[in-house]
Amino acid sequence: TGGDGVSHSTDPARPLALCVALCQSCGVTLDVARSYDRAFASDVASLLPSRETMQHLAPTAIAFRDASEGLDPLVLRATLAMAEDRAGVLASGDPRAALEHLRRIDELRKARGAMLIGYLLSDDHLQARRQLGYILEMNVPRRRSQEISA
């Protein structure tokens, strides 16, 4: 999964540093009470486009700033992992790959796996699949379902 390098880095302050860099690139300054990797934030900020190019993200940065007081980097990391798993399932169109990945890294029986399974069974997920045009597979063989409808 693409976000593991950020959301599961050894230092939980790194995802917060990424958020600081993204907000600053939009011209929004965060008042961060927790420690974060300032060098990483500076490196990320130097690679981002100009402030004018990032202006479309300014409303999101402002909303993040307004809601980030007392933000715990460990909670942020868990939230990023949850969002990554949900996006991966929707992007792939098949939850089996994500479930297998979590099983392989021994996260399926932990909170991360429980959150993903809860999402997979939610109305939100099923509605998103319908809107994306994914067919919801029935657990009835095709021939048998045709016989039943006849």
Side-chain angles (χ1 to χ4, degrees), residues 33-97:
R34 302 230 181 215
S35 65
Y36 64 93
D37 188 337
R38 292 181 189 278
F40 181 69
S42 178
D43 289 345
V44 168
S46 70
L47 298 172
L48 291 171
S50 69
R51 184 173 291 177
E52 293 77 31
T53 306
M54 300 289 283
Q55 278 305 302
H56 66 286
L57 294 177
T60 303
I62 291 168
F64 181 81
R65 179 199 64 201
D66 294 346
S68 66
E69 186 179 323
L71 180 66
D72 183 344
L74 293 174
V75 172
L76 176 60
R77 187 164 66 176
T79 302
L80 289 172
M82 180 181 70
E84 171 192 335
D85 292 340
R86 290 178 178 194
V89 164
L90 289 172
S92 71
D94 187 350
R96 291 175 288 196

Side-chain angles (χ1 to χ4, degrees), residues 89-118:
V89 164
L90 289 172
S92 71
D94 187 350
R96 291 175 288 196
L99 293 171
E100 176 57 26
H101 171 72
L102 293 179
R103 186 196 63 75
R104 204 171 47 253
I105 63 171
D106 200 30
E107 288 285 329
L108 193 56
R109 289 184 224 132
K110 297 179 184 172
R112 184 176 177 184
M115 286 189 296
L116 180 60
I117 290 170

